Amino acid sequence: MQTHISTTPFGRRALTLGQIASQATAKAMPKEAAANKWQVFQHIREARELLGATDRSLAILNALLSFHRETELSAEGELIVWPSNEQLMARANGISPATLRRHLAVLVECGLIIRRDSPNGKRFARRSRAGEVEQAYGFDLSPIVARAEEVRYLAETVQVEKKAFRVAKERLTLLRRDIVKMIDTGIEEGVPGNWGRVLQTYQGIILKLPRTAPRQLIEGICEELFELHGEIRDVLESFTKTQNTNANESHSERHIQNSNPESIFESEQDYREKDEASGSAAETDNVRSLPKRDLPLSIVLDACPNLLEIVQSGEIRHWRDFLSAAELGRTMLGISPSAWQDAQGVMGEVQAAIALAAIYQRSGQINSAGGYLRSLTDKAREGKFSTWPMIMALLRAKLDDNKGRQSQAEGNAGGAPRLEVSESLVKSLQKLKPLP
């Protein structure tokens, strides 16, 4: 009896050129072709994105393969399976009929199976008297055998790409860690250089990195960081060689002590004593009487607008942005990492950042930002310091300046903008003493 092999889908489903290509590939495979179905399925899972398959479609493909009794699929054997929709849904973890139809279509479009539909669309097999299958209608698995070598190559390509991506991410992490720590070392040891500008360059490179980046972009950023890494390392190595060549042991020890940008001012007892002398009993009582609530971010930014100048976007919307800006300001002021960590440990991250913003605002009037911060940290440790007086004093200075400008621009609609503050805040400002 002569039978006809179906090549078109049943019902309203259209025949596509992709389906014809899949059928041609399956028809052209050698008769001796064979493949382990589970090994090929593993390769398909690894290369599913390149093939265009989905997780659900692979679950259905796994179910279809389970209906074939043999583990080894051969071109000379029977490669059509004919499970009902109910059987497929049960083996595919109980998915809905609509989901089943949709993802079966995905498998067909990917060229992983071929539909062999009967005249009425039912799936069944006609057997001979001897029990052998004469004609089967269902899903043809021959593409699994025909494309076994192609799928294996795609899986290897995906593995190579994943490895390259992992290596690029590791390199990025190591470069970021090295650069940050070398910058901190340069500041801590007093190595000559504009370390604030170096940190800005580093952050400018990192800002190009989105939350999810392709490997090519990560490798490009790594190249920029590697160049910056080499420049910083050259500066540190040159400084080290100069120290070893031109100084004896005792001179070197003195130079290292003097190279610390904070040590000169921190060793001056009169500076510390003068600063701590302001912590009188009255001042301590004043600190205790200050509001217990946190300073609003908007008030801090009104008092310390200079911090906005070092932010690339020119705006600070959240506390996390404020903390990042403070870290950059810390480097530009030459404050050592140890002084900064001590301040954060005593005051807390937010309060330490507010104190630093106030110091940055008055950087032109402070000889040693690091020494000043250490002094504030000591007072905070004793419970004699709060960021409220610093911010209020800066706001009062800004208010006084605004009043002078307003008197000159009175009657002019395009005059200088006024600083709007409440009456209670004005009274609070009037009670505060200027910053030391």
Side-chain angles (χ1 to χ4, degrees), residues 113-287:
I113 61 173
I114 298 174
R115 286 185 179 274
R116 301 295 187 190
D117 289 344
S118 66
N120 61 0
K122 302 293 184 179
R123 301 180 202 126
F124 64 91
R126 183 180 294 110
R127 298 180 182 272
S128 65
R129 291 185 178 181
E132 295 180 354
V133 176
E134 291 182 341
Q135 182 71 29
Y137 296 101
F139 299 104
D140 191 347
L141 303 178
S142 56
I144 301 294
V145 181
R147 301 182 64 185
E149 195 63 24
E150 175 195 351
V151 172
R152 182 185 66 81
Y153 173 77
L154 291 177
E156 291 177 353
T157 302
V158 171
Q159 291 175 356
V160 170
E161 178 64 24
K162 285 183 177 179
K163 182 179 180 181
F165 183 80
R166 184 171 62 254
V167 171
K169 290 280 287 183
E170 290 174 356
R171 186 187 181 200
L172 176 66
T173 300
L174 293 174
L175 284 170
R176 293 181 67 172
R177 185 182 70 191
D178 288 351
I179 290 174
V180 170
K181 291 197 173 184
M182 286 194 298
I183 291 174
D184 284 343
T185 299
I187 296 172
E188 187 81 32
E189 299 296 334
V191 179
N194 190 343
W195 295 109
R197 183 63 59 188
V198 172
L199 185 60
Q200 278 188 318
T201 302
Y202 165 72
Q203 291 189 337
I205 297 174
I206 294 301
L207 284 175
K208 301 177 185 177
L209 188 66
R211 189 176 295 275
T212 55
R215 175 181 59 83
Q216 293 78 5
L217 178 59
I218 293 177
E219 289 179 345
I221 291 176
C222 282
E223 291 303 319
E224 294 185 50
L225 290 177
F226 182 72
E227 184 178 350
L228 180 62
H229 178 280
E231 294 175 1
I232 298 173
R233 190 167 188 84
D234 288 345
V235 171
L236 296 180
E237 289 179 351
S238 299
F239 181 76
T240 303
K241 291 177 182 178
T242 303
Q243 295 298 98
N244 293 337
T245 304
N246 299 332
N248 56 35
E249 184 176 353
S250 61
H251 177 73
S252 177
E253 183 180 354
R254 289 195 303 273
H255 185 83
I256 291 174
Q257 292 174 352
N258 292 339
S259 66
N260 191 325
E262 297 174 14
S263 61
I264 298 177
F265 299 96
E266 292 177 12
S267 63
E268 296 178 358
Q269 294 297 325
D270 57 339
Y271 174 84
R272 299 291 291 273
E273 291 171 0
K274 178 182 177 181
D275 188 60
E276 293 180 3
S278 61
S280 60
E283 181 182 352
T284 303
D285 293 339
N286 185 36
V287 168

Side-chain angles (χ1 to χ4, degrees), residues 25-139:
T25 301
K27 186 177 180 180
M29 70 175 171
K31 292 183 179 181
E32 65 275 8
N36 184 302
K37 64 180 182 182
W38 299 123
Q39 186 176 9
V40 178
F41 179 72
Q42 178 62 28
H43 293 159
I44 291 173
R45 287 202 321 182
E46 293 175 356
R48 66 179 182 274
E49 292 182 0
L50 296 180
L51 292 169
T54 61
D55 293 339
R56 287 290 184 90
S57 65
L58 291 186
I60 296 171
L61 179 60
N62 180 74
L64 286 173
L65 291 173
S66 69
F67 283 102
H68 197 285
R69 296 182 178 180
E70 302 297 330
T71 301
E72 192 81 8
L73 301 182
S74 173
E76 295 182 346
E78 179 60 51
L79 294 175
I80 298 179
V81 292
W82 52 92
S84 65
N85 283 354
E86 289 74 15
Q87 291 174 318
L88 269 177
M89 287 187 292
R91 292 201 186 182
N93 303 321
I95 62 176
S96 66
T99 303
L100 175 66
R101 290 192 296 270
R102 184 167 65 253
H103 289 286
L104 280 173
V106 171
L107 291 175
V108 173
E109 289 301 320
C110 292
L112 295 176
I113 61 173
I114 298 174
R115 286 185 179 274
R116 301 295 187 190
D117 289 344
S118 66
N120 61 0
K122 302 293 184 179
R123 301 180 202 126
F124 64 91
R126 183 180 294 110
R127 298 180 182 272
S128 65
R129 291 185 178 181
E132 295 180 354
V133 176
E134 291 182 341
Q135 182 71 29
Y137 296 101
F139 299 104

Side-chain angles (χ1 to χ4, degrees), residues 335-378:
I335 297 176
S336 68
S338 59
W340 180 233
Q341 291 172 4
D342 190 25
Q344 288 179 316
V346 175
M347 304 181 193
E349 287 189 350
V350 173
Q351 297 303 314
I354 293 174
L356 188 136
I359 294 173
Y360 190 85
Q361 185 69 24
R362 300 179 60 242
S363 57
Q365 306 169 28
I366 299 175
N367 292 330
S368 171
Y372 192 88
L373 181 62
R374 284 195 185 275
S375 176
L376 296 180
T377 302
D378 291 343

